[in-house]
Amino acid sequence: MRVSAIALKVTRYSDSQSILTAFSRERGRLAFAIPAGRGRESSRIRALTMPLGMVECETDLRPGRDVLPMRQVRPLKVNADIHSNPLKQMTAMFVAEVLSATLQAGETDERTFDFVAAAAGYLDKAGPRETANFPICFLYRWGELLGVEPDVSTYNIGGMLDMRDGRWRMTAPLHGQCLSPRASEAAAMLSRMTFENMGAFRFRRGERAEITDAILQYYSIHIAPLGNLKTLPVLRSML
């Protein structure tokens, strides 16, 4: 069977083999065995399967097989700047880690695949300000795709975003998991951010960090724990 896949992470399994975690259009999240040697073909496959790399390959889908073979690997789309620009490369690693934590095994969703593929294309073409804002834009739009985005229709000036139910309230909830009025206003503003206009938003480094932390906290409540992402401190130091 031929599948289209977006690379998420590679884990070394042995001296000769690594395990690639990827999200496929046809079967959702999958694990592939790829060579870990120093030969030409091994190097080629490693280059193609860097975070957010998009490939096509042949594989055998059999019941009970957790790790699949990966044959006849070729690029589905080449986003060269992601893997040559250090900031974009780190951003791709961050996005891939978020996807690894929030995509469940066995989920098949062509819309999700197309969203991630399109996002990678925007990152590849992004200028400096677009690249700096990309993690925020991706995180917000990812929540929208998963159906957990805040209900911005409930926003009023001075309101506070209740992180548990995703609604703005004029008084703080008793559970205490809410944003300040200033941060809540910024959260409402993010509903207008798209990959096309993300460069128009001007944030200072500290503001980007605060916004990113708030979104990850929101996701940790609604989807999966995201408080210990290994790529976040490195990305934050570069933005």
Side-chain angles (χ1 to χ4, degrees):
M1 178 180 182
R2 193 150 193 89
V3 299
S4 302
I6 298 173
L8 300 180
K9 66 177 180 179
V10 174
T11 304
R12 190 68 174 257
Y13 179 73
S14 68
D15 290 342
S16 61
Q17 193 175 78
S18 294
I19 305 300
L20 166 68
T21 302
F23 184 71
S24 71
R25 174 189 288 276
E26 295 78 10
R27 294 299 177 94
R29 183 168 173 160
L30 295 172
F32 297 97
I34 61 173
R38 297 183 178 181
R40 178 186 296 180
E41 182 63 9
S42 298
S43 298
R44 187 182 76 88
I45 292 176
R46 282 198 299 273
L48 292 175
T49 56
M50 293 176 70
L52 300 190
M54 289 183 277
V55 299
E56 284 186 340
C57 69
E58 290 287 342
T59 192
D60 296 326
L61 292 168
R62 298 179 184 176
R65 175 179 279 185
D66 294 328
V67 180
L68 306 174
M70 195 178 207
R71 299 186 297 269
Q72 299 180 30
V73 184
R74 72 173 187 85
L76 181 64
K77 182 182 179 183
V78 177
N79 290 318
D81 205 40
I82 288 180
H83 304 306
S84 61
N85 180 308
L87 177 54
K88 291 185 180 183
Q89 187 176 42
M90 194 66 236
T91 301
M93 293 173 66
F94 169 76
V95 168
E97 188 176 12
V98 170
L99 292 173
S100 295
T102 55
L103 283 170
Q104 300 301 313
E107 290 183 350
T108 302
D109 186 345
E110 291 187 5
R111 182 167 171 247
T112 298
F113 182 93
D114 291 342
F115 169 83
V116 178
Y122 280 110
L123 176 59
D124 187 64
K125 296 180 176 63
R129 187 180 296 164
E130 287 87 356
T131 301
N133 287 341
F134 182 89
I136 293 172
C137 186
F138 179 87
L139 287 174
Y140 190 93
R141 292 302 161 194
W142 182 233
E144 184 178 56
L145 188 71
L146 297 181
V148 299
E149 79 279 13
D151 182 4
V152 73
S153 69
T154 63
Y155 171 71
N156 287 295
I157 295 175
M160 292 169 283
L161 177 59
D162 185 325
M163 299 285 272
R164 287 192 182 180
D165 69 3
R167 298 170 65 86
W168 278 262
R169 303 185 182 282
M170 296 310 294
T171 57
L174 293 178
H175 55 70
Q177 289 183 312
C178 66
L179 296 181
S180 68
R182 183 181 66 82
S184 296
E185 181 181 3
M189 180 183 66
L190 292 183
S191 66
R192 302 194 298 270
M193 179 183 278
T194 66
F195 291 121
E196 290 84 359
N197 70 12
M198 60 187 174
F201 289 74
R202 295 177 179 269
F203 300 117
R204 293 186 293 272
R205 172 177 288 189
E207 291 173 331
R208 288 195 189 96
E210 184 179 355
I211 292 169
T212 301
D213 286 345
I215 299 176
L216 292 175
Q217 180 187 355
Y218 184 84
Y219 278 10
S220 295
I221 294 171
H222 292 273
I223 304 174
L226 294 174
N228 295 307
L229 296 176
K230 295 179 180 178
T231 54
L232 183 59
V234 181
L235 179 65
R236 183 170 290 157
S237 70
M238 299 175 70
L239 291 175

